[in-house]
Amino acid sequence: MSRHIYSCPLRWSDMDAFGHVNNAVFLRYLEEARIDFMFRLAPGDGSPSFSGGSVVARHEIDYVRPLVHRHSPVTIESWVTKIGAASLTIAYEVKDPEQVYVRASTVVVPFNLEAQRPRRITAEERAVLEGYMDDSAGGAEALVA
């Protein structure tokens, strides 16, 4: 099982009045990591896999500890915890080597932009996603634990 690693810069505007990264900003961090992850999965050889759009159906976030603004980036690890017929769940940890700040998951639905409706995950996409699959280390079930 592989995890996607994204190095996310912190911005001065990410802070709240208490000097911590604002809770809502973490959604943007997750989005940046997810987009980087999905674009890296695209084969780039003319294959239609991972092309087109996707929509977010659900986010779930546990804030484990405050992240204070600093100049060094934070690491976001992403992996797949569930693959359905027309959706997948991506789990994340926003972390440094010594501590986790956020654990989260997102349900993503592939979307046909022309038809303006969800579409099924292709066999090629499923095969690639399975390389990032780990249903024991994250997702909504692990957030509650």
Side-chain angles (χ1 to χ4, degrees):
M1 188 269 312
S2 295
R3 288 191 178 193
H4 175 263
I5 308 298
Y6 178 71
S7 183
C8 184
L10 306 181
R11 296 164 274 293
W12 183 257
S13 61
D14 295 347
M15 281 192 304
D16 61 18
F18 303 109
H20 305 123
V21 172
N22 185 279
N23 66 307
V25 171
F26 281 99
L27 286 173
R28 188 171 66 231
Y29 290 173
L30 300 179
E31 177 184 48
E32 289 177 29
R34 185 174 60 255
I35 288 171
D36 190 69
F37 180 35
M38 299 304 282
F39 275 107
R40 290 180 192 272
L41 293 178
D45 60 2
S47 168
S49 288
F50 300 105
S51 63
S54 63
V55 294
V56 170
R58 176 182 173 86
H59 286 298
E60 191 167 332
I61 302 175
D62 275 347
Y63 300 96
V64 178
R65 65 176 8 105
L67 175 57
V68 177
H69 182 268
R70 76 233 184 154
H71 294 290
S72 60
V74 68
T75 298
I76 303 175
E77 291 187 10
S78 307
W79 64 96
V80 177
T81 59
K82 183 178 179 184
I83 305 170
S87 69
L88 64 128
T89 302
I90 300 174
Y92 317 82
E93 285 185 342
V94 179
K95 61 194 274 185
D96 287 325
E98 66 281 353
Q99 60 192 351
V100 173
Y101 301 102
V102 165
R103 287 189 179 95
S105 66
T106 302
V107 176
V108 178
V109 177
F111 199 76
N112 181 322
L113 295 172
E114 283 184 23
Q116 286 295 296
R117 54 179 239 189
R119 67 169 180 82
R120 296 178 76 77
I121 294 173
T122 67
E124 181 182 22
E125 290 167 337
R126 180 177 299 277
V128 171
L129 291 168
E130 285 173 350
Y132 291 90
M133 185 78 177
D134 184 353
D135 59 1
S136 65
E141 300 80 24
L143 291 175
V144 179

